[in-house]
Amino acid sequence: MLEELLLLEYENPEYLKTLDSVLKSNIDKLNYSFSQLLQKWISDTCSQANLEEKEAILAMVESLCLEIFQFPGEKLSNFLEIVIVGLETILRFRTRDTFPKKRAEILNFLAHAYRERIRGNKAENIEQEITCLNHALKTYAQKKHL
């Protein structure tokens, strides 16, 4: 399933109709195990990739996460968890020093995912949202002064 989604993203980044179809037909597979598989795949693949390959992989996964987040219909808890795990894993490789603008953008998307999050304690999710936004602001402010 992960390979199918990544292949769709790689071959045709404007594949929303196909993605919707794949997501709808595999909703039962988009669960905690999928988010852990995504996290492991990102970590393993990026750890072995050169800088150019790593950036291409991270951009592809980021795009996939944002497409999943924007999936039409009600927000499904598992979808939000996949998005959160995917974006948090991407942040491990996109540091403030190397990719400040992209990092800040991801932190903004991650904050939005925490705001929409269904799982967990609502107050803790809001705290996570605020933390992400604060980190994004610091990154933007630091970049402005450089």
Side-chain angles (χ1 to χ4, degrees):
M1 170 74 183
L2 176 59
E3 289 176 9
E4 182 179 5
L5 291 172
L6 291 170
L7 186 60
L8 282 171
E9 179 63 38
Y10 176 75
E11 291 178 347
N12 185 6
E14 304 297 326
Y15 67 102
L16 285 178
K17 286 185 181 180
T18 307
L19 176 68
D20 288 353
S21 173
V22 171
L23 292 176
K24 284 178 186 173
S25 63
N26 290 287
I27 284 180
D28 61 318
K29 295 176 187 151
L30 297 167
N31 54 26
Y32 177 78
S33 295
F34 183 88
S35 65
Q36 297 307 299
L37 177 66
L38 177 62
Q39 181 180 42
K40 181 173 176 15
W41 184 86
I42 296 167
S43 296
D44 291 351
T45 306
C46 287
S47 295
Q48 299 172 8
N50 66 41
L51 187 60
E52 187 177 311
E53 293 168 334
K54 187 183 308 182
E55 184 49 32
I57 291 163
L58 295 174
M60 185 173 56
V61 174
E62 177 187 355
S63 180
L64 176 63
C65 287
L66 298 179
E67 303 281 350
I68 291 172
F69 185 74
Q70 296 169 5
F71 183 71
E74 65 181 74
K75 295 283 185 223
L76 300 173
S77 179
N78 288 342
F79 281 25
L80 290 169
E81 295 307 309
I82 291 166
V83 170
I84 289 169
V85 167
L87 294 177
E88 285 179 342
T89 307
I90 290 169
L91 287 174
R92 291 186 201 152
F93 293 95
R94 284 196 174 145
T95 66
R96 190 181 312 163
D97 296 331
T98 56
F99 298 100
K101 185 177 181 207
K102 286 305 285 179
R103 182 176 177 82
E105 289 172 1
I106 293 169
L107 284 163
N108 278 318
F109 289 126
L110 187 56
H112 190 67
Y114 273 113
R115 182 178 341 120
E116 299 288 326
R117 192 177 198 189
I118 297 164
R119 283 198 188 141
N121 179 289
K122 187 69 173 171
E124 289 174 7
N125 290 337
I126 291 170
E127 285 180 30
Q128 282 292 105
E129 174 191 9
I130 292 167
T131 299
C132 289
L133 291 172
N134 283 334
H135 286 301
L137 282 171
K138 286 178 186 174
T139 302
Y140 282 129
Q142 188 177 44
K143 185 177 182 241
K144 193 174 183 179
H145 287 57
L146 295 178

